[in-house]
Amino acid sequence: MSPRRPKPAKAPRTRRTTKAPRIQEAPVLASEAPHPPVEREHGFPIVGIGASAGGLSAIEAFFSAMPTDRATGMAFVLVQHLAPNHKSMLRDLVKRYTRMEVFEVEDGMEVRPDCAYIIPPNRDMAFIDGTLQLIEPTERRGLRLPIDFFFRSLAHDQHERAICVVLSGTGSDGTLGVRAVKGEGGLAIAQDPATTEHDGMPRSAIATGLVDYVLAPERMWERLEAYVAHASERTLDAKQAPVESDGTLRKLALLLRSQTGHDFAQYKENTLVRRLQRRMAMHQIESPQEYLRFARENASEIEALFRDLLIGVTNFFRDPDAFALLEQRVVPSLIANKPAGAAIRVWVCGCSTGEEAYSIAILLYEHASALKTPYKLQVFATDIDRRAIETARAGVFPPNIATDISAERLARYFTELPEGGYRIVKAIRDLIVFSQQDVLRDPPFSKIDLISCRNLLIYLNGDAQKKLIALFHFALRPGGWLFLGTSETVGELASLFEAVDRKGKLYSRREDGSAIRPPVWSPPARVADAEPAPHDVRAVEPAAISLRTLTERALLEHFGQVALLVTARGD
């Protein structure tokens, strides 16, 4: 007999669904939650399943493969594209193949393990504080992406416990949600396109390069169960992550540096542990030491871990209030005191796939165009991830970005592609130089008016954070602006910056920081390096050094390994 399962709490009868704000980030809805946050010290995985055309047969195959003689320990939330007045068949379909309780969601319903929840027609749905919140769509006939909307909220609320499954359907709904789930350390599964009736949604998700498993629906449960079994509560809770006493993390960082050339030794230990444990769960590996041996023998696994460490959550005009602050206060000030033809230089550090860099470039372009005065707008966008930079340079994005960009800006700054999606217009693309850069090792830009470095510092340890804040002070012009993420501050180096807007994480470079010594950069790591060089230049740096000597040294170290190819004509 299967164990008795608790019934979800019913929503308060007096509560009514509300109109949704423009889809940006799920946290904007937190104030609408009818219940206080649910205590989830012993949490359980939440599996979000998105389906559209052809999805019924895929859902049937998924649930028919599940066992009926034992509890799953998970909750399942199904989001299906439905016409506004179309009654969902999912509840009856799922009940046919499972002993779980199956519910059509009521507003405020608390989610419990071993239950399945079905989105009702003509509603969007968000996962907030352990409950399902129903929201009236803002546009009944416009572009609706309920799967992306739900996946994003699930990622923000559940972090590593979030699991998303993209099944058959046309279009690209779910693609941005996959990025959000992976950015929080969750698991992403897509249906094998060869098994779908309509392969648009799975192919779009797979094209991100972030999907962990591509499987036929009937094979998904086996992998999902094995993953969850290894990703125990001890593994998924970063607060309980063990500190390896045998140096496993340090050895893993050396393996990463040896193969990729990038040093993760200055990343927070919890960041490394959480990603390590996720990879262990995927391969059903029991111990960090066993994973280290596995990684040494499989170069592709080191590359996969490297990609996991670099995944970040990004979208156009992310955090609307922060971008409103940029638009209304920072951008006008950048231009106000500049003569016609002057250069306005912006550095977007950790730009990922380019959405933030393009967003800032659009703000600059709009303001400069309104003044009808020529300026030289320059946006330098850098990231450690070569693949992300290549995506950013291409400037091609899925149709889903329409949920984050106003219709006016979408029409003005993007070209709709025949095959689907959008390409940034040349006028904006030409403002940006994308380049690969390890900001902890490579020389920075200089004479910068605005630095945007959002949600990079949260992954770094204290020493690395201080190094970057000092580096940003060095790179900025007097009075230049520093724009950080919502959970970041300048920390112990507050004397270098004035907090202009603490909530918006906006800082201005102080003029009394001249006593701070400019940062010194070391050359890129060589494959043979297993330990820091015994005569590291940083350890013997004199108390004072001329800026010219510093610059020459940084240039020689940075470009010392570059080869020259000369043609017969001397070119």
Side-chain angles (χ1 to χ4, degrees):
M1 178 179 292
S2 62
R4 187 177 180 182
R5 302 174 177 87
K7 291 187 177 181
K10 296 282 186 179
R13 292 294 180 186
T14 56
R15 182 173 173 82
R16 295 182 179 179
T17 56
T18 57
K19 290 217 170 192
R22 181 170 178 79
I23 298 176
Q24 296 283 352
E25 295 286 326
V28 301
L29 303 173
S31 60
E32 299 184 8
H35 309 301
V38 178
E39 293 294 331
R40 294 191 300 278
E41 291 183 356
H42 303 287
F44 51 91
I46 310 293
V47 183
I49 301 175
S52 185
L56 286 179
S57 60
I59 291 171
E60 180 180 1
F62 177 87
F63 280 97
S64 64
M66 292 175 60
T68 58
D69 59 345
R70 62 182 183 274
T72 68
M74 309 174 220
F76 300 85
V77 184
L78 284 74
V79 182
Q80 183 189 25
H81 289 180
L82 292 169
N85 300 318
H86 182 77
K87 179 176 173 59
S88 174
M89 300 169 56
L90 279 182
R91 184 181 180 188
D92 293 337
L93 178 70
V94 174
K95 286 181 71 174
R96 193 183 310 163
Y97 293 101
T98 179
R99 296 180 65 179
M100 290 189 296
E101 293 185 274
V102 184
F103 301 90
E104 184 170 271
V105 174
E106 296 181 24
D107 191 34
M109 184 173 276
E110 184 177 347
V111 174
R112 299 291 189 186
D114 288 287
C115 295
Y117 303 88
I118 314 295
I119 189 172
N122 198 33
R123 288 291 182 268
D124 285 332
M125 184 167 64
F127 193 101
I128 302 171
D129 292 329
T131 65
L132 294 168
Q133 304 295 318
L134 296 180
I135 304 146
E136 185 177 341
T138 52
E139 298 198 15
R140 295 181 182 272
R141 296 187 179 181
L143 175 66
R144 282 192 58 207
L145 300 167
I147 300 171
D148 271 331
F149 187 79
F150 179 74
F151 284 178
R152 282 180 170 185
S153 68
L154 180 65
H156 178 82
D157 191 271
Q158 291 293 296
H159 308 291
E160 292 91 345
R161 281 190 284 266
I163 297 171
C164 63
V165 179
V166 179
L167 299 178
S168 176
T170 59
S172 60
D173 197 6
T175 297
L176 298 185
V178 163
R179 176 175 288 277
V181 168
K182 287 301 298 292
E184 295 291 348
L187 184 74
I189 303 174
Q191 184 174 353
D192 184 345
T195 69
T196 63
E197 293 183 35
H198 299 275
D199 63 5
M201 281 173 31
R203 284 194 184 278
S204 180
I206 294 166
T208 65
L210 302 177
V211 171
D212 297 295
Y213 299 123
V214 178
L215 301 166
E218 60 271 17
R219 294 187 55 213
M220 290 179 181
W221 171 251
E222 180 183 1
R223 289 291 183 92
L224 184 58
E225 185 178 38
Y227 174 84
V228 171
H230 282 75
S232 62
E233 182 63 23
R234 180 175 178 270
T235 299
L236 289 176
D237 192 341
K239 294 179 181 179
Q240 299 178 19
V243 178
E244 268 61 47
S245 58
D246 62 351
T248 299
L249 287 181
R250 182 170 174 273
K251 294 171 185 175
L252 200 57
L254 289 175
L255 271 181
L256 284 163
R257 190 175 81 172
S258 176
Q259 183 164 321
T260 69
H262 297 295
D263 191 354
F264 288 88
Q266 291 184 289
Y267 274 54
K268 286 181 179 176
E269 185 175 273
N270 277 353
T271 299
L272 292 171
V273 167
R274 287 161 64 183
R275 293 302 198 246
L276 163 63
Q277 291 172 333
R278 205 188 81 84
R279 299 302 305 176
M280 288 169 56
M282 284 192 62
H283 295 291
Q284 287 86 61
I285 293 176
E286 298 293 340
S287 70
Q289 297 78 15
E290 184 183 347
Y291 178 82
L292 181 61
R293 288 192 296 271
F294 175 75
R296 280 174 173 164
E297 297 168 0
N298 296 273
S300 60
E301 178 58 26
I302 287 294
E303 183 68 18
L305 176 61
F306 176 62
R307 295 295 161 201
D308 265 15
L309 287 165
L310 298 184
I311 294 171
V313 181
T314 184
N315 51 269
F316 284 94
F317 300 98
R318 187 184 182 200
D319 301 324
D321 291 343
F323 267 89
L325 188 64
L326 276 187
E327 183 175 11
Q328 297 163 13
R329 183 165 188 174
V330 177
V331 172
S333 75
L334 293 180
I335 296 177
N337 299 320
K338 298 274 189 177
I344 297 169
R345 294 162 60 86
V346 176
W347 179 16
V348 181
C349 179
C351 69
S352 187
T353 47
E355 287 88 338
E356 184 170 309
Y358 285 121
S359 299
I360 292 176
I362 286 172
L363 296 184
L364 291 170
Y365 183 86
E366 285 179 341
H367 195 79
S369 299
L371 295 176
K372 298 182 179 179
T373 305
Y375 292 98
K376 187 178 181 181
L377 305 178
Q378 301 174 324
V379 179
F380 305 102
T382 64
D383 197 276
I384 193 175
D385 187 350
R386 174 183 55 80
R387 293 185 184 179
I389 288 295
E390 290 172 355
T391 299
R393 283 190 184 126
V396 176
F397 300 94
N400 314 43
I401 64 170
T403 62
D404 298 318
I405 304 172
S406 68
E408 181 183 357
R409 280 176 172 159
L410 193 66
R412 184 179 182 188
Y413 300 115
F414 295 84
T415 302
E416 192 166 2
L417 301 174
E419 63 272 20
Y422 297 92
R423 184 188 299 276
I424 196 83
V425 297
K426 189 174 185 296
I428 301 299
R429 174 64 187 83
D430 288 349
L431 302 181
I432 308 178
V433 176
F434 289 101
S435 61
Q436 186 179 7
Q437 179 199 44
D438 184 342
V439 71
L440 290 172
R441 300 184 63 83
D442 297 334
F445 295 90
S446 62
K447 299 182 180 179
I448 298 295
D449 296 290
L450 165 66
I451 293 176
S452 176
C453 181
R454 308 182 69 217
N455 304 313
L456 172 61
L457 297 178
I458 56 175
Y459 297 107
L460 305 176
N461 64 28
D463 290 341
Q465 290 182 13
K466 286 190 288 186
K467 178 178 180 178
L468 282 193
I469 295 300
L471 182 147
F472 292 154
H473 183 272
F474 170 79
L476 285 167
R477 296 180 189 271
W481 299 88
L482 176 62
F483 184 38
L484 299 179
T486 54
S487 301
E488 299 169 329
T489 69
V490 294
E492 298 177 22
L493 299 183
S495 61
L496 299 182
F497 292 91
E498 178 184 352
V500 178
D501 190 300
R502 293 187 184 277
K503 182 179 179 181
K505 304 301 180 179
L506 185 63
Y507 300 86
S508 177
R509 183 188 191 273
R510 290 184 185 272
E511 298 308 304
D512 55 358
S514 57
I516 298 295
R517 209 175 74 189
V520 178
W521 305 280
S522 58
R526 294 174 171 81
V527 173
D529 289 345
E531 299 288 346
H535 300 295
D536 192 334
V537 66
R538 292 168 291 184
V540 296
E541 194 64 41
I545 186 170
S546 72
L547 184 58
R548 175 176 177 175
T549 301
L550 177 68
T551 303
E552 289 175 348
R553 178 181 299 171
L555 289 172
L556 287 172
E557 290 174 341
H558 184 60
F559 293 107
Q561 300 180 59
V562 175
L564 295 178
L565 177 63
V566 183
T567 68
R569 298 174 58 185
D571 295 331

